[in-house]
């Protein structure tokens, strides 16, 4: 079974110029993904984690979620 951390990092790596190993939990989101890519990132996360609410995730990606760890926590909140 895939962990949320691994899944989120894989999606970010696939949609940025960084590799999986270069992504740290404390890194800011905007280091990897620009704000205009928020919708795409949310859709890609939905593919890996079907319970993700793409509209809500897109809306909070750059307003409240600042780090990779924040995204992981938000994705985890959909599965609880």
């Amino acid at each position: 079974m895939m962990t949320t951390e691994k899944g989120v990092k894989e999606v970010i790596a696939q949609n940025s110029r960084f590799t999986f190993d270069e992504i740290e939990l404390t890194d800011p989101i905007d280091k990897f993904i620009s704000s205009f890519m928020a919708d795409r990132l949310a859709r890609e996360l939905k593919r890996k984690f079907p319970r993700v609410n793409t509209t809500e995730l897109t809306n909070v990606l750059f307003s409240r979620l600042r780090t990779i760890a924040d995204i992981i926590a938000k994705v985890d909140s959909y599965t609880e």
Side-chain angles (χ1 to χ4, degrees):
M1 183 169 184
M2 178 184 313
T3 65
T4 305
E5 177 182 344
K6 182 179 179 191
V8 169
K9 287 173 70 174
E10 283 178 353
V11 168
I12 292 171
Q14 291 166 356
N15 289 283
S16 72
R17 60 183 176 87
F18 293 87
T19 65
F20 180 89
D21 294 329
E22 293 175 310
I23 300 169
E24 299 293 327
L25 296 181
T26 57
D27 286 335
I29 297 167
D30 57 3
K31 177 179 178 181
F32 307 103
I33 303 289
S34 61
S35 59
F36 73 90
M37 295 275 296
D39 186 49
R40 180 177 177 175
L41 180 62
R43 285 192 318 270
E44 294 293 326
L45 287 168
K46 172 100 175 149
R47 286 190 184 119
K48 280 219 188 278
F49 306 100
R51 292 187 176 196
V52 166
N53 179 329
T54 55
T55 303
E56 180 190 11
L57 186 57
T58 300
N59 290 340
V60 298
L61 259 173
F62 284 86
S63 61
R64 285 188 274 158
L65 306 179
R66 303 280 186 207
T67 66
I68 303 305
D70 293 339
I71 294 174
I72 293 167
K74 185 64 176 173
V75 170
D76 275 341
S77 75
Y78 292 116
T79 59
E80 294 176 346

